[in-house]
Amino acid sequence: MEKEECISQWHKTRDSSTLRNRKVFPSPEQTHQSPITPESKIKQDDSPCSNGSSGDFSARASVDSPNQLLLIVVTGLSFATRLYKITEPPHVCWDETHFGKMGSYYINRTFFFDVHPPLGKMLIALAGYMTGYDGTFPFVKPGDKYEDHNYWGMRGFCAILGSFLPIFAYLIVQELSRSHTAALITAALLIFDTGCITISQYILLDPILMFFIMAAMLSMVKFNQQSSRPFTAPWWLWLVLCGAALAGALGVKFVGLFVILLVGLNTAGELWRILGDLSLSLMDVAKHFLARVVGLILLPLFLYVAVFAVHFALLNKSGPGDGFFSSTFQSRLIGNNLYNVSMPEYLAYGSTITVKNLRIAGGYLHSHWHLYPEGVGAKQQQVTAYLHKDYNNMWLVQKPDNDTQSEIPDLVRHGDIIRLEHKETTRNLHSHLHLAPLTKKHFQVTGYGINGTGDTNDLWQVEVCGGRRGDLVKVLRSKVRFLHKATGCVLYSSGKTLPKWGWEQVEVTCSPYLKETPSSQWNIEDHINPGLPNISLSLLKPNFLEILLESHIVMIRGNSGLKPKDNEMNSKPWHWPINYQGLRFSGVNETEYRVYLLGNPVVWWINLASLGLYLIMVAVSSIAIQRGISLQQERLGGGLLLLGWLLHYAPFYIMGRVLYYHHYFPAMLFSSMLTGCCMGFFYYDLFWISLFYMFHPLSYGMTGPLAHEPGSAMAGLKWMDSWEF
């Protein structure tokens, strides 16, 4: 009797699977709830006979065989399209000048500063090192020939990670929709999109970032499918892989926070469902909660911190990034003038010093021969803050009345009046009531006088923060403020970047607001005075947590302060979904090898239409169900994908930093998966290959006539004037 019931149930399951290909609308329960519904999966896929019977095995085998074949085809096409012509053009393209150079820094163990976390650059360096690159190519500017340098390994590594994106997307959509058609359409959209190919073929962080984003997404979906088998080996495996992928995404770029938020919202929904399951005890609920804390919070945090530990261990030599960091941070870098240095402990008259602002990336007090332009305060010598080591950062500490120094220099104390004379130009640090260039409520700071002569506006009172009158000024350790005697304002680094007349250095002002802030606090870094004994300052080296915190503050402030370079194309978020304007990777005229980052316009416009289509499908389904119309159930899995698109796109509207077209590509992955779900629901069409062929020269490069000229490879395909190919 049990055997007959089992056979009958198996036939019912087979018949219901046949009905799944009917073109019907989803119910609101399926479209509004979290798209990850493991219980529904088990109800659909697991019959009462799914305990190893031959009937169940045959049914699964018939489904898995075509799925495996399709996955092999997707994998082959994805790798073929990304690795094709990987060495061309044989010169530096776009941001390869940055990330290739940073790979060289790792190989040479030279410290540098970047606004992104280090994992992506470390992996690029590792790929280059493992394939024979020696770190000697300078990566000065786009267009520089690679010649005999071994660059293909770094490009190939990025292309390999980019090749996994269509594969991951196929598997994600397959899990969410349970439709081979939807999964295959999704893979085709990404495989044959010219933009996805282009951004995967060069030494960039984007393919690495998107690899971890999609890996986290796939792991989360797989983990949720294991919800009926908690705490088993597969359950733990996908949980741990999800946590590791989250650490990877954040370790490449801070926009990895968006996928962390996506996983966090999904996890919160799952925990809320578990809390409402009355069959589980509170102890079981606590176990679920703690497991996710370990796998999705503690593990990613540990891996993320470990990435920085390796980063700091590798980059132990002084380099171009030193000046962005504090004096104590620099003291740990081999070759830096503060590394294992000995210098006089206390500031004295007659000393040659550099003065560093305590604001992160506040810079060194700096001057040069250039004057402020007409209409910008008094036309006197510019005083700025400069982020790099430079001879023009050197100042002499003088007494206010030019008294001759004694053999044993007098020490500078809290409350003393001093002059700071610029060593190169011999002009005094000066302020007056003219307004500052950018911060209009502050006063201008200039260089004035010659050979130490000037006026009373050159006098500054030294104030040790937290000190009392008579306290000595300790090199590196004392926080010092300089109060202007004539106006009562305080020397200040605003953090604002001056225009080109100021060499894009940081504005220095005199602030009438006397509240103590890092912007008005300085420390003495370099200190030279032959008349004083030297002491070792090696004990001032910071610990790991201090340099980790400082690095993040510098990165975040640097990221928010990014501005476009000359003739560099930047865009607005509303440009991206409509494919309004691409990004030139290489070449301008017909004699050069031209590569242009632009998504396949048909793919991108269909993606945009599918966002609206999905919402319409949800609305129609909801109305139908509300009116009591019975609909055949069909899984779309689009809710999570729509949320992923929103989280990876909407935040850019409130960002203050400069934005570029390539920032949209993570969101584009989610919109392509949503398109696959929607189109798989209605029909199946493989016209993507022809569209890919039409636009493929954008990805693989082209020479000869431009698009508007006869005989061009892109003749007739420049559908928008804003496309610059």
Side-chain angles (χ1 to χ4, degrees):
M1 188 66 181
E2 290 179 356
K3 182 176 180 181
E4 292 176 356
E5 290 178 356
C6 188
I7 293 173
S8 175
Q9 183 64 35
W10 180 83
H11 279 291
K12 290 179 180 178
T13 303
R14 184 183 61 177
D15 293 340
S16 66
S17 67
T18 304
L19 290 173
R20 291 178 59 203
N21 291 324
R22 290 173 57 185
K23 300 173 184 177
V24 291
F25 290 107
S27 71
E29 288 81 9
Q30 291 167 317
T31 54
H32 289 260
Q33 70 182 3
S34 173
I36 311 296
T37 53
E39 293 82 358
S40 63
K41 176 188 174 186
I42 293 172
K43 290 177 183 177
Q44 292 174 2
D45 294 343
D46 292 349
S47 72
C49 302
S50 61
N51 57 356
S53 68
S54 60
D56 180 69
F57 176 80
S58 300
R60 290 183 180 275
S62 66
V63 174
D64 289 345
S65 296
N67 185 38
Q68 292 174 357
L69 179 61
L70 289 175
L71 185 58
I72 292 172
V73 172
V74 166
T75 301
L77 288 173
S78 186
F79 275 84
T81 52
R82 270 66 181 170
L83 294 174
Y84 177 62
K85 297 179 73 173
I86 193 65
T87 59
E88 297 183 19
H91 60 248
V92 177
C93 292
W94 194 52
D95 269 359
E96 284 188 328
T97 187
H98 298 303
F99 302 120
K101 183 186 297 182
M102 292 170 188
S104 298
Y105 285 143
Y106 276 108
I107 293 174
N108 296 313
R109 307 193 67 178
T110 303
F111 185 77
F112 67 95
F113 165 69
D114 185 42
V115 297
H116 305 299
L119 179 59
K121 284 94 66 177
M122 290 169 59
L123 292 175
I124 288 171
L126 178 62
Y129 180 78
M130 296 296 291
T131 54
Y133 174 61
D134 59 5
T136 57
F137 186 73
F139 287 96
V140 175
K141 64 183 184 303
D144 288 351
K145 298 289 185 182
Y146 283 115
E147 298 178 341
D148 296 329
H149 292 274
N150 208 346
Y151 65 97
W152 62 267
M154 293 182 284
R155 278 191 183 175
F157 169 74
C158 293
I160 288 172
L161 293 192
S163 300
F164 278 98
L165 302 181
I167 301 169
F168 287 165
Y170 176 90
L171 295 173
I172 291 167
V173 172
Q174 170 65 26
E175 289 290 339
L176 293 178
S177 69
R178 315 305 294 169
S179 167
H180 297 310
T181 299
L184 190 57
I185 290 176
T186 299
L189 288 169
L190 296 178
I191 287 173
F192 300 118
D193 179 64
T194 49
C196 286
I197 293 174
T198 305
I199 207 165
S200 297
Q201 287 195 310
Y202 298 92
I203 307 171
L204 303 172
L205 298 184
D206 301 88
I208 308 174
L209 169 69
M210 292 189 288
F211 171 86
F212 284 116
I213 289 175
M214 294 295 280
M217 181 72 181
L218 176 61
S219 300
M220 179 186 68
V221 170
K222 290 285 191 180
F223 171 71
N224 282 332
Q225 300 291 3
Q226 300 292 326
S227 64
S228 64
R229 295 175 285 273
F231 308 109
T232 60
W235 188 90
W236 279 109
L237 173 65
W238 290 114
L239 177 64
V240 168
L241 288 178
C242 184
L246 293 178
L250 185 60
V252 175
K253 282 188 175 183
F254 285 128
V255 294
L257 286 169
F258 301 154
V259 74
I260 292 176
L261 181 57
L262 177 63
V263 172
L265 292 173
N266 179 81
T267 302
E270 284 294 299
L271 288 173
W272 184 252
R273 180 190 60 78
I274 291 171
L275 183 62
D277 187 348
L278 299 181
S279 66
L280 298 176
S281 67
L282 289 179
M283 181 60 69
D284 292 331
V285 174
K287 288 179 181 178
H288 276 278
F289 176 78
L290 290 176
R292 287 162 173 80
V293 168
V294 171
L296 300 179
I297 297 178
L298 297 182
L299 175 63
L301 183 61
F302 170 78
L303 294 176
Y304 181 75
V305 172
V307 166
F308 276 88
V310 176
H311 167 73
F312 293 135
L314 287 175
L315 302 184
N316 63 350
K317 298 179 181 177
S318 178
D322 295 14
F324 290 90
F325 293 82
S326 68
S327 305
T328 52
F329 186 102
Q330 296 177 44
S331 67
R332 51 177 291 277
L333 298 173
I334 299 172
N336 188 281
N337 61 317
L338 298 177
Y339 180 76
N340 288 339
V341 71
S342 294
M343 64 174 64
E345 182 178 11
Y346 298 108
L347 181 64
Y349 293 102
S351 296
T352 299
I353 63 171
T354 59
V355 184
K356 193 173 193 306
N357 188 257
L358 296 188
R359 174 192 178 99
I360 299 299
Y364 295 92
L365 188 64
H366 176 96
S367 189
H368 40 235
W369 289 104
H370 303 280
L371 306 181
Y372 285 101
E374 194 72 39
V376 181
K379 195 173 182 180
Q380 297 175 4
Q381 185 169 296
Q382 295 176 16
V383 172
T384 65
Y386 189 47
L387 297 176
H388 304 282
K389 302 280 188 177
D390 190 85
Y391 183 76
N392 280 329
N393 300 341
M394 308 296 288
W395 299 81
L396 292 171
V397 181
Q398 304 283 31
K399 290 187 175 182
D401 50 8
N402 288 322
D403 285 351
T404 304
Q405 305 292 336
S406 60
E407 290 187 13
I408 301 177
D410 294 330
L411 299 179
V412 177
R413 299 175 183 273
H414 177 98
D416 282 4
I417 307 299
I418 67 169
R419 284 189 301 106
L420 287 176
E421 180 184 320
H422 190 242
K423 189 171 178 61
E424 170 67 14
T425 64
T426 72
R427 291 191 173 154
N428 298 323
L429 186 69
H430 177 98
S431 187
H432 43 224
L433 295 179
H434 292 275
L435 298 181
L438 303 179
T439 310
K440 295 303 182 183
K441 292 185 178 181
H442 291 193
F443 301 132
Q444 183 186 35
V445 176
T446 69
Y448 181 75
I450 192 70
N451 291 326
T453 61
D455 60 23
T456 56
N457 282 334
D458 303 337
L459 302 181
W460 302 82
Q461 183 175 15
V462 177
E463 179 186 277
V464 178
C465 297
R468 296 176 297 179
R469 189 165 191 86
D471 285 352
L472 298 175
V473 179
K474 298 177 181 178
V475 173
L476 290 179
R477 290 171 287 179
S478 291
K479 297 179 181 179
V480 178
R481 300 207 306 167
F482 298 96
L483 276 70
H484 191 241
K485 285 297 294 180
T487 62
C489 58
V490 62
L491 192 65
Y492 189 94
S493 174
S494 70
K496 299 177 182 178
T497 302
L498 292 168
K500 294 193 178 303
W501 56 256
W503 303 93
E504 297 182 337
Q505 295 173 9
V506 178
E507 179 193 40
V508 168
T509 69
C510 199
S511 171
Y513 307 104
L514 301 184
K515 181 181 178 181
E516 290 187 3
T517 67
S519 295
S520 64
Q521 295 172 332
W522 307 76
N523 72 273
I524 311 303
E525 183 171 288
D526 297 284
H527 185 209
I528 303 170
N529 195 319
L532 295 174
N534 293 333
I535 65 165
S536 175
L537 299 179
S538 60
L539 295 177
L540 299 179
K541 292 181 181 178
N543 59 43
F544 173 74
L545 291 180
E546 289 173 334
I547 62 177
L548 180 67
L549 177 61
E550 181 174 344
S551 295
H552 280 77
I553 295 174
V554 172
M555 285 188 294
I556 292 170
R557 289 184 177 174
N559 216 319
S560 62
L562 286 176
K563 294 184 178 181
K565 306 178 184 67
D566 287 343
N567 302 318
E568 190 174 31
M569 187 60 60
N570 61 86
S571 59
K572 297 179 180 180
W574 68 266
H575 291 171
W576 305 338
I578 63 174
N579 219 23
Y580 178 76
Q581 193 171 42
L583 196 60
R584 184 181 291 113
F585 267 36
S586 172
V588 177
N589 56 52
E590 61 185 31
T591 63
E592 297 176 323
Y593 196 98
R594 304 187 302 279
V595 178
Y596 191 69
L597 177 66
L598 184 73
N600 190 306
V602 178
V603 171
W604 284 51
W605 294 338
I606 289 177
N607 281 351
L608 183 60
S610 294
L611 294 170
L613 175 62
Y614 176 76
L615 296 176
I616 293 173
M617 292 168 66
V618 171
V620 171
S621 176
S622 300
I623 294 171
I625 295 297
Q626 187 69 17
R627 296 294 299 170
I629 301 174
S630 178
L631 297 178
Q632 172 67 29
Q633 301 292 305
E634 180 82 14
R635 288 182 61 179
L636 277 179
L640 188 67
L641 301 176
L642 180 62
L643 178 61
W645 176 79
L646 283 171
L647 290 176
H648 286 82
Y649 175 55
F652 288 101
Y653 280 94
I654 60 175
M655 288 188 183
R657 57 155 291 172
V658 62
L659 299 174
Y660 301 105
Y661 173 67
H662 70 99
H663 288 143
Y664 184 67
F665 276 84
M668 182 266 181
L669 297 176
F670 286 92
S671 65
S672 294
M673 290 189 286
L674 184 61
T675 298
C677 289
C678 292
M679 295 186 67
F681 185 76
F682 285 109
Y683 63 89
Y684 176 57
D685 195 352
L686 285 177
F687 74 101
W688 312 113
I689 296 177
S690 60
L691 296 176
F692 162 70
Y693 181 77
M694 291 167 59
F695 287 92
H696 79 277
L698 297 177
S699 296
Y700 298 126
M702 51 192 161
T703 55
L706 303 179
H708 62 277
E709 298 173 345
S712 170
M714 299 301 295
L717 295 176
K718 189 177 179 182
W719 299 342
M720 297 180 69
D721 292 337
S722 54
W723 295 351
E724 297 179 322
F725 54 78

